[in-house]
Amino acid sequence: MTLSLESEWPAQLDDLGDGRPVGLWVRGRPSLRMWALRSVALVGARACTEYGAHMAATLGAGLAERGWVVVSGGAYGVDGAAHRGALAAGGATVAVLACGVDRPYPRGHTELITRIAEQGLVVGELPPGEHPTPSRFILRNRVIAALTRGTVVVEAAYRSGALVTARAAQRLGRFAMGVPGPVTSGLSAGVHELLRGEAMLVTDAAEVAELVGDMGELAPDRRGPVLPHDLLDPGAGRVLAALPARGLAGAEEIARGAGTTTDDAVGRLYELRSLGFVERHGDGWKLTRQMMIPVHDDRRGC
């Protein structure tokens, strides 16, 4: 099937102005126009690391589970992992090729692209029978950028077609996002350079959906485990923090450390004793054994 400007055309491609495709060839039954309205591009290095493949597949599956269409280029590496993640989750995915839709490229992805055509969509700007060339990959990238609400770069070196896609997305007013990686990895260097600009850092599908989604699609707050002393009221917490990590302290010393009166400190100390945080020895107070590490762990070195 072909898409012209009059039939089932994704209007966001018109943002390309004079650079928009004249038409698109499509394999698959779903409506590209409808799918593109809620789509995200996942792109990155062909020779990606295991980390990059894992992150691409995880993002693809997570976005698909949230009802997002995963768009990529069908290539080896990050592209293939993103498509497979979406397919494994039973979700929707679109492969935008730099050749005719009847010529799966790369050949090693013939089975994958055939599956995408059966479960999703395969799209190409070039007519059937056309072969890919280096310049056609660059032209293909602008279609991916314009078609989607945002582009996520999972791994990319400094010179990477994935960065071309992300920067095209930025010029079109779309979101550009990057997944951070090890600073020692050359395949994360391009992503980090992108993040030093106006791209947004994302680590999972929830964070991507928060950026590109509708109001209210918020990622959960990130925080460490809740420890027992986190549940104390502020006054009791200050008194507990004023106790030394080891040894005894008197009520007056603890009161000075907590910035309160001795009477208030004594009252708080008895409250803390009832909760199992401290114990009394004569006129002194000390942390219980189980509290010595958790309460003062943040004061210790690495």
Side-chain angles (χ1 to χ4, degrees), residues 221-289:
D221 291 335
R222 305 289 197 263
R223 59 170 299 166
V226 177
L227 300 176
H229 61 269
D230 293 331
L231 305 177
L232 295 172
D233 69 69
R238 286 192 293 272
V239 169
L240 183 62
L243 271 82
R246 298 286 186 274
L248 297 171
E252 292 184 359
E253 178 186 349
I254 295 170
R256 286 194 299 271
T260 187
T261 65
T262 301
D263 288 343
D264 179 62
V266 170
R268 300 285 190 180
L269 286 165
Y270 277 106
E271 175 187 347
L272 291 168
R273 187 178 71 169
S274 70
L275 295 172
F277 290 105
V278 302
E279 54 191 35
R280 182 179 178 185
H281 295 270
D283 293 331
W285 296 83
K286 65 180 292 187
L287 296 172
T288 56
R289 182 179 297 275

Side-chain angles (χ1 to χ4, degrees), residues 13 16 21 24 96 125 139-148:
L13 291 179
L16 291 168
L24 294 174
V96 182
E125 183 179 354
L139 289 173
R140 182 274 308 273
N141 291 348
R142 85 196 193 289
V143 174
I144 293 176
L147 197 62
T148 54

Side-chain angles (χ1 to χ4, degrees), residues 165-184:
T165 307
R167 288 170 180 142
Q170 288 177 313
R171 289 193 298 272
L172 292 166
R174 314 291 199 261
F175 288 99
M177 296 157 276
V179 177
V183 296
T184 54

